mmCIF file of all heavy atoms in Angstrom:
data_model
loop_
_atom_site.group_PDB
_atom_site.id
_atom_site.type_symbol
_atom_site.label_atom_id
_atom_site.label_comp_id
_atom_site.label_asym_id
_atom_site.label_seq_id
_atom_site.Cartn_x
_atom_site.Cartn_y
_atom_site.Cartn_z
ATOM 1 N N ALA A 467 -23.062 23.138 7.589
ATOM 2 C CA ALA A 467 -22.546 21.805 7.813
ATOM 3 C C ALA A 467 -21.077 21.702 7.913
ATOM 4 O O ALA A 467 -20.632 20.996 8.935
ATOM 5 C CB ALA A 467 -23.021 20.768 6.779
ATOM 6 N N MET A 468 -20.282 22.472 7.069
ATOM 7 C CA MET A 468 -18.921 22.323 7.187
ATOM 8 C C MET A 468 -18.368 22.985 8.480
ATOM 9 O O MET A 468 -17.501 22.391 9.221
ATOM 10 C CB MET A 468 -18.314 23.075 5.970
ATOM 11 C CG MET A 468 -18.374 22.137 4.635
ATOM 12 S SD MET A 468 -17.902 23.114 3.313
ATOM 13 C CE MET A 468 -16.306 23.172 3.246
ATOM 14 N N GLN A 469 -18.846 24.094 8.817
ATOM 15 C CA GLN A 469 -18.531 24.756 10.093
ATOM 16 C C GLN A 469 -18.914 23.901 11.260
ATOM 17 O O GLN A 469 -18.069 23.797 12.140
ATOM 18 C CB GLN A 469 -19.308 26.047 10.269
ATOM 19 C CG GLN A 469 -18.941 27.089 9.224
ATOM 20 C CD GLN A 469 -19.887 28.328 9.295
ATOM 21 O OE1 GLN A 469 -20.686 28.305 10.189
ATOM 22 N NE2 GLN A 469 -19.638 29.226 8.205
ATOM 23 N N PHE A 470 -20.004 23.196 11.201
ATOM 24 C CA PHE A 470 -20.473 22.309 12.351
ATOM 25 C C PHE A 470 -19.452 21.111 12.487
ATOM 26 O O PHE A 470 -19.066 20.714 13.500
ATOM 27 C CB PHE A 470 -21.843 21.848 12.000
ATOM 28 C CG PHE A 470 -22.660 21.513 13.149
ATOM 29 C CD1 PHE A 470 -22.939 22.433 13.973
ATOM 30 C CD2 PHE A 470 -23.006 20.130 13.377
ATOM 31 C CE1 PHE A 470 -23.694 22.114 15.131
ATOM 32 C CE2 PHE A 470 -23.684 19.916 14.519
ATOM 33 C CZ PHE A 470 -24.133 20.874 15.422
ATOM 34 N N GLY A 471 -19.045 20.595 11.376
ATOM 35 C CA GLY A 471 -18.002 19.541 11.318
ATOM 36 C C GLY A 471 -16.834 19.907 12.001
ATOM 37 O O GLY A 471 -16.236 19.238 12.822
ATOM 38 N N MET A 472 -16.242 21.102 11.666
ATOM 39 C CA MET A 472 -15.045 21.558 12.286
ATOM 40 C C MET A 472 -15.234 21.806 13.749
ATOM 41 O O MET A 472 -14.451 21.557 14.666
ATOM 42 C CB MET A 472 -14.624 22.873 11.592
ATOM 43 C CG MET A 472 -14.080 22.680 10.220
ATOM 44 S SD MET A 472 -13.426 24.177 9.628
ATOM 45 C CE MET A 472 -14.924 24.837 8.719
ATOM 46 N N GLY A 473 -16.471 22.451 14.044
ATOM 47 C CA GLY A 473 -16.773 22.693 15.405
ATOM 48 C C GLY A 473 -16.751 21.413 16.432
ATOM 49 O O GLY A 473 -16.280 21.535 17.486
ATOM 50 N N ILE A 474 -17.274 20.263 15.792
ATOM 51 C CA ILE A 474 -17.368 19.048 16.533
ATOM 52 C C ILE A 474 -15.941 18.759 16.982
ATOM 53 O O ILE A 474 -15.579 18.329 18.161
ATOM 54 C CB ILE A 474 -17.844 18.013 15.782
ATOM 55 C CG1 ILE A 474 -19.352 18.236 15.540
ATOM 56 C CG2 ILE A 474 -17.694 16.610 16.425
ATOM 57 C CD1 ILE A 474 -20.044 17.165 14.688
ATOM 58 N N LEU A 475 -14.940 18.953 16.091
ATOM 59 C CA LEU A 475 -13.534 18.633 16.348
ATOM 60 C C LEU A 475 -12.952 19.613 17.361
ATOM 61 O O LEU A 475 -11.824 19.302 17.908
ATOM 62 C CB LEU A 475 -12.750 18.372 15.132
ATOM 63 C CG LEU A 475 -13.118 17.096 14.367
ATOM 64 C CD1 LEU A 475 -12.318 17.105 13.027
ATOM 65 C CD2 LEU A 475 -12.663 15.890 15.129
ATOM 66 N N CYS A 476 -13.431 20.785 17.449
ATOM 67 C CA CYS A 476 -12.833 21.667 18.300
ATOM 68 C C CYS A 476 -13.249 21.368 19.747
ATOM 69 O O CYS A 476 -12.497 21.758 20.659
ATOM 70 C CB CYS A 476 -13.320 23.188 18.106
ATOM 71 S SG CYS A 476 -12.567 23.908 16.538
ATOM 72 N N ILE A 477 -14.271 20.604 20.040
ATOM 73 C CA ILE A 477 -14.685 20.355 21.412
ATOM 74 C C ILE A 477 -13.552 19.594 22.075
ATOM 75 O O ILE A 477 -13.186 20.055 23.148
ATOM 76 C CB ILE A 477 -15.985 19.387 21.318
ATOM 77 C CG1 ILE A 477 -17.088 20.372 20.668
ATOM 78 C CG2 ILE A 477 -16.498 19.133 22.812
ATOM 79 C CD1 ILE A 477 -18.458 19.461 20.494
ATOM 80 N N PRO A 478 -13.073 18.395 21.527
ATOM 81 C CA PRO A 478 -12.023 17.703 22.315
ATOM 82 C C PRO A 478 -10.831 18.591 22.427
ATOM 83 O O PRO A 478 -10.084 18.567 23.408
ATOM 84 C CB PRO A 478 -11.729 16.581 21.550
ATOM 85 C CG PRO A 478 -12.382 16.607 20.170
ATOM 86 C CD PRO A 478 -13.480 17.637 20.380
ATOM 87 N N CYS A 479 -10.491 19.524 21.391
ATOM 88 C CA CYS A 479 -9.314 20.332 21.391
ATOM 89 C C CYS A 479 -9.345 21.175 22.822
ATOM 90 O O CYS A 479 -8.311 21.350 23.463
ATOM 91 C CB CYS A 479 -9.330 21.321 20.367
ATOM 92 S SG CYS A 479 -8.771 20.601 18.817
ATOM 93 N N VAL A 480 -10.571 21.731 23.072
ATOM 94 C CA VAL A 480 -10.686 22.492 24.290
ATOM 95 C C VAL A 480 -10.880 21.602 25.555
ATOM 96 O O VAL A 480 -10.204 21.921 26.570
ATOM 97 C CB VAL A 480 -11.780 23.551 24.156
ATOM 98 C CG1 VAL A 480 -11.999 24.485 25.280
ATOM 99 C CG2 VAL A 480 -11.599 24.451 22.844
ATOM 100 N N ALA A 481 -11.707 20.629 25.368
ATOM 101 C CA ALA A 481 -12.034 19.758 26.591
ATOM 102 C C ALA A 481 -10.774 19.219 27.156
ATOM 103 O O ALA A 481 -10.530 19.170 28.361
ATOM 104 C CB ALA A 481 -13.026 18.790 26.183
ATOM 105 N N LEU A 482 -9.944 18.621 26.276
ATOM 106 C CA LEU A 482 -8.748 17.893 26.817
ATOM 107 C C LEU A 482 -7.813 19.012 27.335
ATOM 108 O O LEU A 482 -7.002 18.581 28.245
ATOM 109 C CB LEU A 482 -8.066 17.232 25.545
ATOM 110 C CG LEU A 482 -8.601 15.869 25.182
ATOM 111 C CD1 LEU A 482 -7.779 15.375 23.864
ATOM 112 C CD2 LEU A 482 -8.420 14.898 26.271
ATOM 113 N N GLY A 483 -7.881 20.132 26.968
ATOM 114 C CA GLY A 483 -7.034 21.169 27.540
ATOM 115 C C GLY A 483 -7.536 21.744 28.852
ATOM 116 O O GLY A 483 -6.605 21.932 29.733
ATOM 117 N N VAL A 484 -8.756 21.857 28.925
ATOM 118 C CA VAL A 484 -9.343 22.512 30.202
ATOM 119 C C VAL A 484 -9.448 21.485 31.221
ATOM 120 O O VAL A 484 -9.287 21.685 32.371
ATOM 121 C CB VAL A 484 -10.666 23.239 29.880
ATOM 122 C CG1 VAL A 484 -11.209 23.854 31.061
ATOM 123 C CG2 VAL A 484 -10.420 24.324 28.892
ATOM 124 N N ALA A 485 -10.096 20.341 30.894
ATOM 125 C CA ALA A 485 -10.370 19.332 31.950
ATOM 126 C C ALA A 485 -9.853 18.027 31.478
ATOM 127 O O ALA A 485 -10.495 17.008 31.288
ATOM 128 C CB ALA A 485 -11.863 19.241 32.107
ATOM 129 N N PRO A 486 -8.369 17.906 31.562
ATOM 130 C CA PRO A 486 -7.766 16.661 31.053
ATOM 131 C C PRO A 486 -8.095 15.501 32.176
ATOM 132 O O PRO A 486 -8.118 14.378 31.636
ATOM 133 C CB PRO A 486 -6.370 17.044 31.169
ATOM 134 C CG PRO A 486 -6.225 18.166 32.128
ATOM 135 C CD PRO A 486 -7.548 18.880 31.885
ATOM 136 N N GLY A 487 -8.414 15.900 33.445
ATOM 137 C CA GLY A 487 -8.661 14.933 34.412
ATOM 138 C C GLY A 487 -9.795 13.891 34.016
ATOM 139 O O GLY A 487 -9.933 12.793 34.558
ATOM 140 N N LEU A 488 -10.799 14.435 33.212
ATOM 141 C CA LEU A 488 -11.786 13.671 32.920
ATOM 142 C C LEU A 488 -11.544 12.526 31.845
ATOM 143 O O LEU A 488 -12.167 11.513 31.896
ATOM 144 C CB LEU A 488 -12.997 14.528 32.281
ATOM 145 C CG LEU A 488 -13.486 15.620 33.074
ATOM 146 C CD1 LEU A 488 -14.525 16.456 32.523
ATOM 147 C CD2 LEU A 488 -14.045 15.026 34.482
ATOM 148 N N VAL A 489 -10.581 12.780 31.053
ATOM 149 C CA VAL A 489 -10.186 11.831 29.961
ATOM 150 C C VAL A 489 -9.064 10.920 30.277
ATOM 151 O O VAL A 489 -8.938 9.812 29.891
ATOM 152 C CB VAL A 489 -9.973 12.652 28.607
ATOM 153 C CG1 VAL A 489 -9.752 11.617 27.393
ATOM 154 C CG2 VAL A 489 -11.133 13.548 28.324
ATOM 155 N N ILE A 490 -8.116 11.559 31.046
ATOM 156 C CA ILE A 490 -6.822 10.866 31.266
ATOM 157 C C ILE A 490 -6.967 9.508 31.879
ATOM 158 O O ILE A 490 -6.157 8.524 31.437
ATOM 159 C CB ILE A 490 -5.913 11.705 32.081
ATOM 160 C CG1 ILE A 490 -5.650 12.974 31.222
ATOM 161 C CG2 ILE A 490 -4.476 10.952 32.370
ATOM 162 C CD1 ILE A 490 -4.254 13.180 30.715
ATOM 163 N N PRO A 491 -7.769 9.347 32.936
ATOM 164 C CA PRO A 491 -7.996 7.909 33.471
ATOM 165 C C PRO A 491 -8.268 6.760 32.362
ATOM 166 O O PRO A 491 -7.811 5.748 32.234
ATOM 167 C CB PRO A 491 -9.076 7.970 34.374
ATOM 168 C CG PRO A 491 -9.151 9.431 34.744
ATOM 169 C CD PRO A 491 -8.688 10.221 33.502
ATOM 170 N N LEU A 492 -9.133 7.296 31.212
ATOM 171 C CA LEU A 492 -9.461 6.334 30.274
ATOM 172 C C LEU A 492 -8.289 6.150 29.340
ATOM 173 O O LEU A 492 -7.874 4.942 29.103
ATOM 174 C CB LEU A 492 -10.558 7.036 29.345
ATOM 175 C CG LEU A 492 -11.739 7.492 30.045
ATOM 176 C CD1 LEU A 492 -12.806 8.034 29.082
ATOM 177 C CD2 LEU A 492 -12.408 6.347 30.817
ATOM 178 N N VAL A 493 -7.417 7.089 29.100
ATOM 179 C CA VAL A 493 -6.200 6.945 28.301
ATOM 180 C C VAL A 493 -5.191 6.047 29.021
ATOM 181 O O VAL A 493 -4.620 5.252 28.547
ATOM 182 C CB VAL A 493 -5.606 8.211 27.888
ATOM 183 C CG1 VAL A 493 -4.355 8.030 27.009
ATOM 184 C CG2 VAL A 493 -6.530 9.110 27.181
ATOM 185 N N SER A 494 -5.238 6.169 30.351
ATOM 186 C CA SER A 494 -4.233 5.520 31.268
ATOM 187 C C SER A 494 -4.727 4.044 31.209
ATOM 188 O O SER A 494 -3.779 3.179 31.205
ATOM 189 C CB SER A 494 -4.344 6.075 32.640
ATOM 190 O OG SER A 494 -4.484 5.067 33.598
ATOM 191 N N ARG A 495 -5.974 3.745 31.106
ATOM 192 C CA ARG A 495 -6.367 2.422 30.973
ATOM 193 C C ARG A 495 -5.999 1.757 29.771
ATOM 194 O O ARG A 495 -5.480 0.586 29.613
ATOM 195 C CB ARG A 495 -7.849 2.392 31.155
ATOM 196 C CG ARG A 495 -8.324 0.988 31.622
ATOM 197 C CD ARG A 495 -9.741 1.190 32.238
ATOM 198 N NE ARG A 495 -9.858 1.728 33.597
ATOM 199 C CZ ARG A 495 -10.832 2.535 34.084
ATOM 200 N NH1 ARG A 495 -11.900 2.685 33.398
ATOM 201 N NH2 ARG A 495 -10.791 2.881 35.312
ATOM 202 N N ALA A 496 -6.000 2.517 28.621
ATOM 203 C CA ALA A 496 -5.529 1.974 27.394
ATOM 204 C C ALA A 496 -4.143 1.812 27.376
ATOM 205 O O ALA A 496 -3.655 0.980 26.610
ATOM 206 C CB ALA A 496 -6.002 3.107 26.308
ATOM 207 N N ALA A 497 -3.297 2.583 28.207
ATOM 208 C CA ALA A 497 -1.840 2.400 28.186
ATOM 209 C C ALA A 497 -1.495 1.280 29.046
ATOM 210 O O ALA A 497 -0.228 0.945 29.153
ATOM 211 C CB ALA A 497 -1.203 3.714 28.632
ATOM 212 N N ASP A 498 -2.520 0.563 29.681
ATOM 213 C CA ASP A 498 -2.159 -0.619 30.579
ATOM 214 C C ASP A 498 -1.772 -1.787 29.755
ATOM 215 O O ASP A 498 -2.551 -2.799 29.762
ATOM 216 C CB ASP A 498 -3.327 -0.980 31.473
ATOM 217 C CG ASP A 498 -3.237 0.001 32.671
ATOM 218 O OD1 ASP A 498 -2.351 0.590 32.932
ATOM 219 O OD2 ASP A 498 -4.246 0.097 33.402
ATOM 220 N N VAL A 499 -0.815 -1.826 28.850
ATOM 221 C CA VAL A 499 -0.564 -2.860 28.051
ATOM 222 C C VAL A 499 0.932 -3.401 28.457
ATOM 223 O O VAL A 499 1.719 -2.627 28.917
ATOM 224 C CB VAL A 499 -0.625 -2.602 26.526
ATOM 225 C CG1 VAL A 499 -1.938 -2.454 26.096
ATOM 226 C CG2 VAL A 499 0.307 -1.267 26.311
ATOM 227 N N GLY A 500 1.021 -4.702 28.175
ATOM 228 C CA GLY A 500 2.452 -5.242 28.365
ATOM 229 C C GLY A 500 2.945 -4.980 29.790
ATOM 230 O O GLY A 500 2.198 -5.065 30.826
ATOM 231 N N SER A 501 4.119 -4.753 29.927
ATOM 232 C CA SER A 501 4.891 -4.656 31.315
ATOM 233 C C SER A 501 4.313 -3.346 31.922
ATOM 234 O O SER A 501 4.508 -3.222 33.141
ATOM 235 C CB SER A 501 6.258 -4.536 31.045
ATOM 236 O OG SER A 501 6.651 -3.630 30.208
#
Side-chain angles (χ1 to χ4, degrees):
Chain A
M468 285 167 76
Q469 297 170 0
F470 209 65
M472 289 184 267
I474 293 177
L475 284 175
C476 285
I477 298 170
C479 286
V480 178
L482 281 177
V484 175
L488 300 179
V489 185
I490 300 248
L492 308 183
V493 180
S494 129
R495 205 159 281 151
D498 277 345
V499 286
S501 53

